[in-house]
Each structure stands twice: as C-alpha cells, then as structure tokens.
Amino acid sequence: IRKEGGGALLAGLGPTTYGYLFEGAVKFGIYEVLKPAVRSMLAWSAALCAVPWIDSKLLGFVISGGVAGASASVMLCPMEALRIRLVAEPDFGAGGWVEGGMRMVGNEGVKGLFKSLPAMLSKQVPYTVTKNVS
C-alpha cells in the first residue's frame, strides 16, 4: 500500500465483479433450464434402450451441472485472465480495466483471454457438479 497506494487493492475489482456476475447468471440459468430437458431425454433414452438406470434424477443433475459449469467457465475465463494481468502488472490497466482488456486483446488476440480455460474447466466443472447435486 505504501508503494502503490490504496487503489492497488482494487486493481482487479472491475473484471472480478462483472466476470462473476455473468458466470453466476450463466451457471444457474443454464442449470435450471437444463434440468427438466435432460430428465426428459434420460427418460426417453431409458425407455428406448431398455436400460432403466439411465432414467436417474442424479444423472440428470450431474449432466446439467457439468454443462452449466463448462458454459460458465467460458464466460468467466476472459475476466479472470484480465484480472490476473491487472493485478500482476499494475501499469497494464492504467486507463481502466476496459482499456486493459482492449490492450490485452490487441497484444494477444482473443485467444489470449482463454489461455487458462483448461485449468478453469478442471476446477469449475467438478465444483459446479458437486455443488448442484448435493
């Protein structure tokens, strides 16, 4: 704080706020929309294949949670990449976090915003499935 001032504590606040706002909306929205659709598909599949265990409420929750977690991770990944860059390199977003994001896309392309997607998927999908099933 002495070196960079109190504003350094808020460096990643913009991307964190917007990132998790959209991530939560996508995660819970998709999960709730998918639950009945997946249940119907599982019931249909179980009847068609004569495999009764497919018609499982738990399996429907797991599938819905996995898809919701993956979708939410895709939404969150660019904001997390930007947040990490802003915190690690305070001068990177001197003009604000939106300008920092535009600079990041200019330097690395859109692909640069998704470099950490595999790591995020490996963390978020199991978490979302576990949270939503329990």
Side-chain angles (χ1 to χ4, degrees), residues 16-87:
T16 300
T17 302
Y18 282 96
Y20 280 97
L21 172 77
F22 292 127
E23 185 258 357
V26 167
K27 182 187 295 183
F28 294 112
I30 288 178
Y31 179 71
E32 292 300 326
V33 167
L34 279 182
K35 276 193 311 187
V38 169
R39 267 307 264 139
S40 294
M41 284 191 275
L42 289 175
W44 179 80
S45 298
L48 184 68
C49 300
V51 182
W53 64 267
I54 292 176
D55 189 13
S56 164
K57 196 173 191 180
L58 179 63
L59 182 58
F61 290 161
V62 169
I63 292 169
S64 299
V67 172
S71 302
S73 293
V74 171
M75 294 295 295
L76 180 60
C77 196
M79 290 293 132
E80 279 293 289
L82 178 57
R83 179 190 64 81
I84 290 167
R85 177 65 62 88
L86 292 174
V87 171

Side-chain angles (χ1 to χ4, degrees), residues 59-121:
L59 182 58
F61 290 161
V62 169
I63 292 169
S64 299
V67 172
S71 302
S73 293
V74 171
M75 294 295 295
L76 180 60
C77 196
M79 290 293 132
E80 279 293 289
L82 178 57
R83 179 190 64 81
I84 290 167
R85 177 65 62 88
L86 292 174
V87 171
E89 300 175 30
D91 294 336
F92 192 81
W97 68 272
V98 174
E99 184 179 309
M102 298 302 286
R103 183 174 170 196
M104 193 169 173
V105 170
N107 292 346
E108 302 174 35
V110 174
K111 190 175 176 181
L113 296 173
F114 293 95
K115 287 189 289 191
S116 63
L117 186 60
M120 184 167 285
L121 287 169

